[in-house]
Amino acid sequence: MELVRIATAGSVDDGKSTLIGRLLYDSKSIFSDQLDAVVATSERMGSEHVNLALLTDGLRAEREQGITIDVAYRYFSTPRRSFIVADTPGHVQYTRNMVTGASTADLAVVLVDARRGLVEQSRRHTFLAALLGIPHLVVAVNKMDLVDWSRDRYEEISGEVTHFLSQLDPWAGRRNARPERDGDCPSVTGPPDRADSPPPFVDVAVVPVSALHGDNVVDESRNSPWFGGSSLLHHLEEVRIDRTRNLSDLRFPVQYVIRPHTDEHHDYRGYAGTVAGGVLAVGDEVVVLPSAITSRITAIDGPSGGIEAAAPGDACAVRLADDLDVGRGDMICGIADPPVVSRSFDAIVCWMSGDQPLREGATLLLKHTTRTVRAKVTGIRDRLDVNTLDLDEGSTGLALNDIGRITLRTGEVLFVDSYRDNRNTGSFILVDEVTNATVAAEMVSDLADSRPPATDRVGIAV
């Protein structure tokens, strides 16, 4: 059965947890004892209705304050698909948790309170969903019962969403601009031209719902005869997610080398990892980075034995025709489509540390696929205003939850793709060397935008 990963997002009190609870309840995906516990807790808290948000909000602080703090994962299935839903926090203080929960999602459901429309956090989460490369977006206009199912209000919010999405790529028009270096041509100035920018999402649906009463969540509602679309669950069952995977560019980061110390497998040498892009197949010619030595795949071992091919997300062990010096952090790639091998590139960063801002010159640990290296921030190019989508090119630092573009230089080479091309090899995290805390999530900009100096680029001769 096809698996779909979903992340809910939006501002505080927009009803994310209630919506997930309603999905679980109406799709009959909860046990009777779970429902009994929710009913009893709702009565004890004095709620007028059964508080379905309690199905996801499990922390005591979450139940007392009525907000989501940590990411909660819930699972349910229908005859057509199985789903993993990440209920992410709406509070600005826990935006980093939203980034974590949404980082692997196929589809984002951004809730909007019909009374308030798009607020700052709704815009921030929508922008982050686009930034994280989530291909499909559903905007659930919730609490429609509190505006008497007004069609005018729904269409007003739909227009607001459409306008915001049309302006969602503030860096468009700058992708072919060279940064100013040593008297080189000046950087592009003025407002970006977004006309040629690709849309941030493959498809967008705006659905009017009432999570509290279940309207348009699982079943279509009689309260919105003017709405020509389907219910939320029907859309989740029908949306196509297979067309968003990169099946052409082979990327296999090596996580571990398997060498059994037994006579039965005396000569076995397998390179274990998870396929990050493309398709591994027995007989393929490949190149191993950073050594740039070529070889051929002789066998692929899956969890249950030998297989002929492996696709993105599959964990396996690869055997090569030659005994090569390959270890953790190396990458097996296709010969015709290798990644960029460089020590300097630009990245879009979401800064997650409230203890200290990100400054130019900061030294951090960078974890990219299975490779961990030291990195230095050599420049802060701009900072984004989430409300206006304007870029502050004079910014000298990034504070908690700020989004901006920086330039990094690493101590060792990395094998990177543009995040638009591959979410696995185009993303990484920054870790504080002292506290070991994750302080930033980053996405590699289009590599034509980075243009690393010739001294930082590493050629691959095959």
Side-chain angles (χ1 to χ4, degrees):
M1 186 179 295
E2 189 175 33
L3 174 65
V4 181
R5 298 176 182 271
I6 303 169
T8 60
S11 188
V12 177
D13 293 332
D14 281 348
K16 297 180 295 299
S17 299
T18 303
L19 179 69
I20 296 176
R22 176 60 65 179
L23 269 174
L24 296 174
Y25 177 73
D26 285 359
S27 63
K28 297 178 173 55
S29 299
I30 58 175
F31 295 108
S32 58
D33 59 335
Q34 290 178 296
L35 181 60
D36 292 341
V38 168
V39 171
T41 304
S42 300
E43 293 176 350
R44 187 168 60 252
M45 296 174 64
S47 300
E48 295 181 359
H49 306 276
V50 176
N51 188 356
L52 295 176
L54 298 176
L55 289 170
T56 58
D57 291 339
L59 298 177
R60 178 181 297 179
E62 291 177 323
R63 297 189 172 192
E64 290 177 351
Q65 300 180 49
I67 64 173
T68 301
I69 297 175
D70 198 4
V71 180
Y73 293 93
R74 293 295 179 266
Y75 311 87
F76 72 100
S77 62
T78 68
R80 297 184 62 106
R81 280 177 170 171
S82 59
F83 301 90
I84 300 178
V85 185
D87 182 19
T88 68
H91 198 285
V92 65
Q93 184 178 348
Y94 305 112
T95 299
R96 59 187 130 182
N97 293 356
M98 178 271 170
V99 173
T100 301
S103 60
T104 59
D106 302 305
L107 182 145
V109 179
V110 177
L111 274 79
V112 175
D113 190 323
R115 300 168 300 174
R116 299 186 297 169
L118 278 179
V119 296
E120 178 182 352
Q121 194 69 341
S122 305
R123 295 171 184 268
R124 178 181 282 108
H125 282 189
T126 303
F127 180 82
L128 285 171
L131 200 61
L132 289 167
I134 300 176
H136 307 281
L137 175 69
V138 175
V139 178
V141 184
N142 192 26
K143 304 185 182 182
M144 285 294 296
D145 54 305
L146 299 183
V147 294
D148 297 325
W149 288 93
S150 168
R151 179 176 183 175
D152 291 340
R153 182 55 178 156
Y154 165 78
E155 292 180 347
E156 181 182 350
I157 294 176
S158 296
E160 196 175 355
V161 170
T162 300
H163 176 72
F164 181 71
L165 293 180
S166 69
Q167 303 295 310
L168 206 54
D169 191 350
W171 288 285
R174 302 168 185 257
R175 302 198 180 281
N176 296 320
R178 293 188 63 178
E180 190 172 354
R181 287 193 185 101
D182 299 330
D184 205 344
C185 58
S187 302
V188 172
T189 57
D193 178 13
R194 300 185 177 96
D196 298 327
S197 175
F201 300 99
V202 174
D203 54 64
V204 178
V206 183
V207 183
V209 302
S210 171
L212 182 63
H213 301 290
D215 297 87
N216 285 336
V217 178
V218 171
D219 301 313
E220 296 182 10
S221 174
R222 297 179 180 179
N223 291 319
S224 56
W226 41 264
F227 178 59
S230 60
S231 68
L232 174 62
L233 181 60
H234 184 267
H235 179 79
L236 297 180
E237 289 182 317
E238 296 293 330
V239 66
R240 286 186 57 189
I241 64 169
D242 56 339
R243 54 183 171 173
T244 57
R245 296 191 301 170
N246 187 334
L247 299 176
S248 58
D249 303 328
L250 175 58
R251 304 289 185 265
F252 185 75
V254 176
Q255 182 176 1
Y256 186 73
V257 180
I258 301 176
R259 288 297 309 274
H261 299 284
T262 62
D263 291 336
E264 182 182 359
H265 303 285
H266 183 76
D267 297 321
Y268 186 95
R269 184 191 294 268
Y271 307 109
T274 301
V275 181
V279 177
L280 278 172
V282 175
D284 284 353
E285 297 290 330
V286 294
V287 59
V288 180
L289 300 178
S291 65
I293 299 176
T294 60
S295 187
R296 180 175 53 86
I297 299 177
T298 59
I300 303 174
D301 299 313
S304 301
I307 55 178
E308 290 297 315
D314 291 344
C316 60
V318 176
R319 285 184 273 171
L320 302 178
D322 306 284
D323 290 333
L324 305 179
D325 181 12
V326 180
R328 178 181 174 87
D330 292 350
M331 185 177 291
I332 298 174
C333 308
I335 293 179
D337 49 23
V340 171
V341 183
S342 178
R343 294 176 56 200
S344 180
F345 48 87
D346 289 345
I348 300 171
V349 57
C350 176
W351 187 248
M352 300 177 176
S353 174
D355 297 332
Q356 56 183 356
L358 176 65
R359 302 289 187 189
E360 184 174 337
T363 301
L364 301 158
L365 291 178
L366 185 153
K367 188 178 187 307
H368 173 261
T369 62
T370 58
R371 198 173 183 86
T372 301
V373 301
R374 297 189 74 205
K376 182 177 182 179
V377 179
T378 57
I380 297 178
R381 300 187 61 179
D382 45 48
R383 183 182 64 85
L384 176 75
D385 186 318
V386 177
N387 287 314
T388 64
L389 297 182
D390 291 332
L391 297 176
D392 178 11
E393 296 184 342
S395 177
T396 59
L398 299 178
L400 176 65
N401 294 327
D402 275 350
I403 300 169
R405 190 170 48 164
I406 66 175
T407 301
L408 288 164
R409 181 178 174 85
T410 57
E412 301 175 27
V413 294
L414 296 179
F415 323 119
V416 298
D417 294 287
S418 166
Y419 190 80
R420 290 175 179 266
D421 297 329
N422 192 309
R423 291 170 68 182
N424 295 309
T425 57
S427 63
F428 54 88
I429 60 173
L430 294 179
V431 178
D432 188 289
E433 292 183 285
V434 178
T435 64
N436 204 36
T438 300
V439 293
E442 304 204 30
M443 286 64 68
V444 178
S445 305
D446 282 0
L447 292 166
D449 191 27
S450 297
R451 293 186 180 272
T455 55
D456 287 337
R457 294 196 297 266
V458 179
I460 302 177
V462 296

